Amino acid sequence: MPRAYETMLILRPDMSDEPLEQLLNSQEAILRENGAANLETTNKGKRRFAGFEMKGFKEGLYIHMNYEAEPSAVATWEKGLRLNESVLRYMTTRPDLV
């Protein structure tokens, strides 16, 4: 049974528009291949971190994603996020549990 999820991605701030679009399209394709539906992606823009660095960067590009998927699809997708060097951090939550 699909569940609602929200994922916030923090990407490298030095990504230009074309590589960013390719990355987002590939991540959306992975989710869809694993059965995700109602996928909405919002670019929240570049923001400065509050007094710390992530992998040598003082700011990051924030991407917010809402979707419905099976838990196994989210786990599979997150394995790929861990290996992607453009992703500084990510966090997935279920809004219906908050």
Side-chain angles (χ1 to χ4, degrees):
M1 183 168 124
R3 300 176 180 163
Y5 289 95
E6 289 183 4
T7 300
M8 180 65 77
L9 300 171
I10 303 177
L11 306 177
R12 297 171 55 105
D14 57 357
M15 292 185 74
S16 60
D17 290 339
E18 189 174 320
L20 173 63
E21 189 173 324
Q22 289 175 352
L23 175 70
L24 293 178
N25 287 339
S26 69
Q27 297 306 313
E28 289 175 359
I30 292 168
L31 280 171
R32 285 196 175 99
E33 287 170 8
N34 288 298
N38 300 330
L39 184 61
E40 295 177 22
T41 303
T42 307
N43 185 339
K44 298 287 188 175
K46 200 179 290 188
R47 297 185 184 178
R48 188 166 182 79
F49 302 138
F52 62 94
E53 292 184 5
M54 269 190 244
K55 298 183 182 177
F57 295 102
K58 294 183 179 185
E59 59 185 14
L61 188 60
Y62 284 69
I63 306 294
H64 183 246
M65 301 175 83
N66 288 322
Y67 52 94
E68 293 178 2
E70 296 289 336
S72 60
V74 176
T76 301
W77 180 54
E78 286 183 342
K79 282 182 187 177
L81 290 178
R82 279 186 222 113
L83 300 173
N84 192 323
E85 293 190 12
S86 296
V87 178
L88 300 178
R89 295 254 170 94
Y90 68 90
M91 184 172 74
T92 301
T93 59
R94 287 190 38 211
D96 54 345
L97 294 179
V98 177

